């Protein structure tokens, strides 16, 4: 008698485990898809814009070099390398975002992809800062050595404005990724 009760209990537990596993492996619901896809589309536009800005900026630096006499080529090369690396990073994230298809993913897969996306973004920020500091220091030192006072003032103003815009964009991207993650977390629970 006890053996049959144990078998029945075991079968019931197996059924419950299968049910829980199938719920966790279920595709993302329509509401979550809509919330995640709208955040995804806003992020794609954001990264498209950042990629295009990073690709155009080296040409602006060349125009600055032509207007300032004695501006060294190696500083322009440093700017070029920095912005091409950043364009590659932003383009990579844009490509990853475009490949996400929440309609075909399970909740777990979508959540993992979102966490990876957030990791790529944070890594890019750290890498970008480590590249930007030497470039900016060299640029400001060169302007100082060339006695270009107004260009130096412009560089500092541009640095402050760029920091402000960068923090705003970073906060917006962080908010969109967080919205995607929360929508998926709600679906998983």
């Amino acid at each position: 008698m006890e053996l049959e009760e144990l078998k029945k209990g075991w079968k019931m537990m197996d059924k419950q485990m299968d049910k829980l596993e199938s719920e966790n492996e279920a595709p993302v619901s329509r509401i979550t898809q809509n919330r995640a896809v709208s955040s995804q589309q806003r992020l794609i536009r954001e990264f498209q814009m950042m990629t295009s800005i990073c690709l155009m900026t080296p040409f602006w630096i060349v125009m600055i070099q032509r207007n300032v006499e004695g501006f060294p080529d190696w500083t322009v090369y440093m700017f070029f390398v920095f912005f091409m690396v950043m364009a590659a990073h932003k383009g990579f994230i844009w490509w990853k975002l475009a490949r996400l298809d929440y309609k075909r993913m399970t909740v777990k897969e979508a959540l993992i992809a979102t966490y990876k996306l957030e990791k790529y973004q944070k890594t890019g920020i750290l890498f970008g800062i480590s590249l930007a500091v030497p470039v900016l220091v060299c640029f400001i030192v060169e302007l100082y050595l060339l006695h270009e006072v107004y260009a130096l003032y412009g560089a500092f103003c541009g640095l402050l404005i760029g920091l402000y815009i960068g923090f705003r964009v970073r906060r917006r991207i962080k908010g969109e990724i967080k919205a995607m993650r929360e929508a998926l977390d709600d679906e998983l629970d």
Side-chain angles (χ1 to χ4, degrees):
M1 188 72 161
E2 289 179 27
L3 182 60
E4 288 189 28
E5 288 177 15
L6 285 173
K7 286 182 181 180
K8 285 181 185 178
W10 189 264
K11 286 180 184 179
M12 288 176 53
M13 286 177 59
D14 272 346
K15 287 179 184 178
Q16 287 178 343
M17 289 297 291
D18 289 341
K19 182 180 174 185
L20 286 173
E21 285 179 7
S22 66
E23 286 176 4
N24 282 339
E25 295 295 324
V28 180
S29 74
R30 294 244 187 259
I31 295 170
T32 303
Q33 282 178 6
N34 292 338
R35 286 173 47 193
V37 167
S38 63
S39 292
Q40 178 188 15
Q41 289 170 346
R42 286 189 294 272
L43 281 172
I44 286 173
R45 278 193 307 266
E46 195 79 34
F47 281 102
Q48 284 174 338
M49 182 183 67
M50 286 191 290
T51 303
S52 62
I53 288 172
C54 286
L55 289 173
M56 288 187 298
T57 304
F59 301 107
W60 297 335
I61 300 299
V62 170
M63 289 176 18
I64 290 172
Q65 182 193 24
R66 289 182 182 170
N67 292 330
V68 177
E69 267 185 49
F71 198 73
D73 288 339
W74 62 273
T75 305
V76 174
Y77 297 143
M78 287 177 66
F79 269 107
F80 184 79
V81 167
F82 169 75
F83 282 108
M84 288 299 118
V85 168
M86 292 285 67
H89 176 260
K90 302 307 177 196
F92 174 74
I93 293 178
W94 170 21
W95 176 69
K96 285 296 224 182
L97 272 167
R99 286 188 51 212
L100 286 179
D101 187 8
Y102 290 110
K103 294 176 184 174
R104 294 184 179 166
M105 299 173 102
T106 64
V107 177
K108 284 182 182 179
E109 291 171 341
L111 197 55
I112 289 170
T114 305
Y115 277 111
K116 284 182 181 179
L117 182 73
E118 188 174 21
K119 184 179 78 169
Y120 296 144
Q121 174 62 18
K122 287 179 181 179
T123 304
I125 290 170
L126 291 174
F127 193 64
I129 289 172
S130 66
L131 282 175
V133 170
V135 170
L136 289 172
V137 168
C138 290
F139 180 65
I140 290 172
V141 166
E142 286 300 326
L143 289 177
Y144 178 76
L145 293 174
L146 292 172
H147 303 291
E148 293 286 342
V149 178
Y150 295 116
L152 192 59
Y153 293 151
F156 279 118
C157 288
L159 179 62
L160 292 175
I161 292 169
L163 282 172
Y164 174 74
I165 292 170
F167 282 125
R168 294 275 312 228
V169 168
R170 181 181 176 272
R171 188 172 61 177
R172 189 170 43 224
I173 289 172
K174 190 176 179 181
E176 292 296 339
I177 291 174
K178 184 178 178 183
M180 288 170 59
R181 200 175 58 228
E182 286 175 354
L184 295 168
D185 279 336
D186 291 345
E187 181 72 22
L188 193 60
D189 292 337

